[in-house]
Amino acid sequence: MDRTTTIAYRKWRDTNISVVKFRGEGDFVGHNDEDQCADYEICTTTTQTADRSASQSGSKDTFTVEDAVEAIGFGKFQWKLSIVTGVCWMADAMEMMVLSILGPQLHCEWRLPSFQVAFITAVVFIGMGVSSSLWGNVSDKYGRKLGLILCMVWVLYFGLLSAFAPTYGWILVLRSLVGFGIGGAPQSVTLYSEFLPMTKRASCIMLISVFWGLGAVFEVLLAIWIMPTLGWRWLLGLSVIPTLVFVGFSFWLPESARFDVLVGNGQRALATLNRIAVDNGQKMLQGTLTANKQEGRGRIRDLLTPNYRRTTLLLWFLWYAYAFSYYGIILLTTELFQSGDACGVIPGATTESSCSLECRHLTLADYKDLLWTTLAEFPGLFITLLVIDRIGRKKSMALSFILFTLAILPLYACIGRTAITVFIFIARAFIAAGFQVIFVYTPEVYPTESRALGVGTSSGMGRVGSLVTPFVAQVLFRKSVYLTLSVYCACSLLAVGASLCLPIETLGRALQESSQPTESRRFWQI
């Protein structure tokens, strides 16, 4: 048996030298324990690995998928993958953004009370919350590619059908089914992250989030063009265009090589890695591909083992807080524009008929202001891109919640429309940026065997926050603007503490393949 020693230097300013690994002939077995060394301490971990004799592998030159991805680097293949997965993000964003436009329109056209308007948004998030863990389980058991394609075909079908909904009941059913499909969209991040070199992972995941902003902007521009003449049915129908594009190009997507080796399909993993090397113009590593055998995958209990319990519970709350705050500020945008200013809502109003049945269609000025606040997606992303690899994931998330709270505070005053637009722009910029940081952190912290499920369950908790927020931003808001803003501020401040309490910082940390060291290995010869 060989012994492998890992020496980790915490608080090292050069993130490229945050972990030093000494290798003998044995393979390094990932260490996933939450009990990491304290700040400014040196931690030494020694593990035993199986001896790689020539009789086992036929060669002393062995490598893992992680080694191959790092050696091949970032290139043409990753750029193409960025575009395809980015289109999936656009589709998700458009289906979400349309909710802030559809609600006010149906409020007027069908004379719906405020709680029914809020329920149109809520059923989408109910569908997403129910399905997120399911899609994660499918992706961990049957592959990232299959899970992602199935969920987007589902969104395409029911997204088109919802444009023909004849009644309020039908719109609820069909939009909830759209939400059920969208629950699988975060698996695009799981697939994408597993093909990225460590030094490029955070920046690349943040940059494909630009597609989310593009999708949100495109939805508002589409509404400006479609709503005055053709109406909301055409808007819903045309909003599935990115989904259709993604489904059309999904045949190009490869299955994750990390997933393939985990399920024992090493030859397909080698073929995928060779394809990436050819696309990037790099030489493929020579030798024997090796990986841990893993029988159990996609099990909820793996997320709640002593190694991951604290991380999982804190992540679930953080996803809840991000979704609650992000979709809340989107819904508050149209509510504040319709009320005119922060004083447009009477804090003491208690009767439903006095406020919720009053309707005013969104005007061109409303759409323009909505467009300006939607453009906030971009500066926030670029600011976070500058700091995420400097201060780490945990501090980046905490910072985003702090700045979001500071931007919300001026809305307590009776400020005018222009000031409202400015502060909503700032608040949305930072909460959107922080939301993308947690999309970086979550797939990094879990091992391959449970990564998709970890992302799925966390996303599901986020959908719970999305489900609750319409009743705060659209129902409670009509009763008291001050109480509504206080709820969002309190949630954000709690999230600051949760971010800093996360036990694992993933900056400079390789993706883990397994949660448990094992001496049983598989080998595939090139």
Side-chain angles (χ1 to χ4, degrees), residues 192-503:
Y192 184 58
S193 66
E194 292 182 342
F195 285 106
L196 296 173
M198 181 175 64
T199 56
K200 301 290 185 182
R201 194 181 307 128
S203 58
C204 289
I205 294 177
M206 293 293 291
L207 284 176
I208 68 160
S209 301
V210 170
F211 283 91
W212 176 280
L214 289 174
V217 169
F218 184 55
E219 185 66 37
V220 177
L221 292 175
L222 195 62
I224 293 174
W225 174 44
I226 294 295
M227 290 298 289
T229 54
L230 299 177
W232 62 270
R233 296 184 186 276
W234 278 90
L235 181 65
L236 287 181
L238 293 175
S239 294
V240 304
I241 290 176
T243 311
L244 180 62
V245 172
F246 174 82
V247 171
F249 283 93
S250 60
F251 68 91
W252 175 87
L253 284 173
E255 182 53 85
S256 167
R258 296 176 189 270
F259 173 81
D260 280 336
V261 297
L262 199 67
V263 298
N265 199 342
Q267 294 303 321
R268 189 167 72 173
L270 284 172
T272 300
L273 293 171
N274 275 300
R275 170 185 170 185
I276 300 172
V278 171
D279 269 4
N280 289 1
Q282 300 292 329
K283 290 184 179 180
M284 176 63 183
L285 293 180
Q286 297 301 307
T288 303
L289 176 63
T290 180
N292 288 329
K293 290 181 181 178
Q294 185 65 43
E295 302 301 330
R297 303 184 309 278
R299 301 175 300 189
I300 292 286
R301 67 176 181 268
D302 292 337
L303 305 180
L304 298 173
T305 60
N307 283 346
Y308 287 101
R309 184 183 300 118
R310 182 179 170 192
T311 297
T312 296
L313 295 177
L314 287 172
L315 270 180
W316 284 353
F317 172 72
L318 285 170
W319 275 80
Y320 173 93
Y322 269 122
F324 179 78
S325 303
Y326 176 78
Y327 292 111
I329 200 67
I330 290 176
L331 296 174
L332 278 175
T333 301
T334 51
E335 294 294 329
L336 283 167
F337 288 163
Q338 285 185 314
S339 65
D341 56 48
C343 299
V345 180
I346 303 173
T350 57
T351 58
E352 176 74 10
S353 60
S354 66
C355 59
S356 69
L357 293 180
E358 295 176 2
C359 98
R360 185 175 70 85
H361 290 279
L362 293 176
T363 64
L364 181 59
D366 293 329
Y367 285 122
K368 286 181 178 179
D369 287 338
L370 186 59
L371 178 61
W372 280 113
T373 56
T374 302
L375 289 172
E377 302 276 345
F378 299 104
L381 287 175
F382 290 123
I383 291 172
T384 306
L385 189 61
L386 295 176
V387 303
I388 188 172
D389 281 330
R390 288 175 170 81
I391 66 175
R393 284 51 161 157
K394 293 163 54 177
K395 291 180 180 178
S396 295
M397 287 188 280
L399 182 63
S400 70
F401 278 115
I402 291 171
L403 295 175
F404 172 77
T405 304
L406 292 177
I408 287 290
L409 292 177
L411 298 180
Y412 280 90
C414 294
I415 56 179
R417 185 186 183 99
T418 301
I420 288 175
T421 304
V422 170
F423 286 113
I424 288 179
F425 182 97
I426 296 171
R428 183 164 174 178
F430 287 110
I431 201 65
F435 211 162
Q436 301 313 317
V437 176
I438 204 169
F439 268 105
V440 174
Y441 181 87
T442 306
E444 286 184 333
V445 80
Y446 289 113
T448 301
E449 66 199 32
S450 57
R451 184 170 298 124
L453 185 62
V455 172
T457 55
S458 298
S459 176
M461 289 303 298
R463 306 315 179 185
V464 175
S466 308
L467 168 64
V468 174
T469 204
F471 296 96
V472 178
Q474 293 178 318
V475 179
L476 181 61
F477 182 86
R478 295 173 184 270
K479 307 296 182 182
S480 172
V481 62
Y482 306 116
L483 181 57
T484 300
L485 296 176
S486 297
V487 170
Y488 286 108
C489 288
C491 181
S492 296
L493 292 176
L494 288 174
V496 172
S499 301
L500 297 176
C501 287
L502 285 167

